[in-house]
Amino acid sequence: KRKYTPPLKELTEEELDITLMSLNVYGFEETKFTRKNLRTLDPLYIRKCLVQMRDSGLISTLGFKVINNIISNIEEVTENDYADEV
C-alpha cells in the first residue's frame, strides 16, 4: 500500500480554505470537515476532492492554480523516507 504525505503542515490560509471547501462539497455527506479533523484524513482522499473541485468549473483561475499547487505538494512516502526518521 502506498503512503502519501499530507500537504497540510505548510498550507496558507487561502489553501486551507480551498481544501476545506473541496472536502465539504465533494467529501462524505455525513461529515463536516474542519481544521480539527483535516489532519486525520487520507491525503489521497483530500487530493480526490481537490481534483473534483478543480475540474468542476466552480472556481476561479486563481483557485485552479491554488488547487494545483496543493496537489503538487502531496508526495509519496517511500521506505527511504522512513529510514531517515529513525
Side-chain angles (χ1 to χ4, degrees):
K1 182 178 176 184
R2 291 179 157 179
K3 293 188 176 187
Y4 292 81
T5 60
L8 307 173
K9 294 177 191 170
E10 300 165 6
L11 288 182
T12 65
E13 286 297 313
E14 178 181 48
E15 291 170 333
L16 186 57
D17 289 343
I18 288 177
T19 300
L20 288 171
M21 181 174 64
S22 298
L23 288 164
N24 285 311
V25 171
Y26 295 103
F28 301 121
E29 292 179 24
E30 68 275 2
T31 303
K32 179 178 179 190
F33 295 103
T34 65
R35 293 170 187 247
K36 290 181 181 178
N37 62 6
L38 185 61
R39 297 192 189 284
T40 64
L41 298 174
D42 179 355
L44 291 181
Y45 177 72
I46 295 170
R47 183 178 180 182
K48 176 185 164 213
C49 292
L50 286 165
V51 168
Q52 286 181 285
M53 177 63 81
R54 181 192 66 191
D55 296 344
S56 70
L58 297 174
I59 58 167
S60 67
T61 304
L62 176 60
F64 188 91
K65 290 177 183 178
V66 170
I67 288 175
N68 280 338
N69 185 51
I70 298 167
I71 291 170
S72 70
N73 287 321
I74 298 176
E75 300 174 350
E76 184 174 355
V77 176
T78 64
E79 294 294 323
N80 289 336
D81 293 332
Y82 286 118
D84 293 338
E85 293 178 7
V86 178

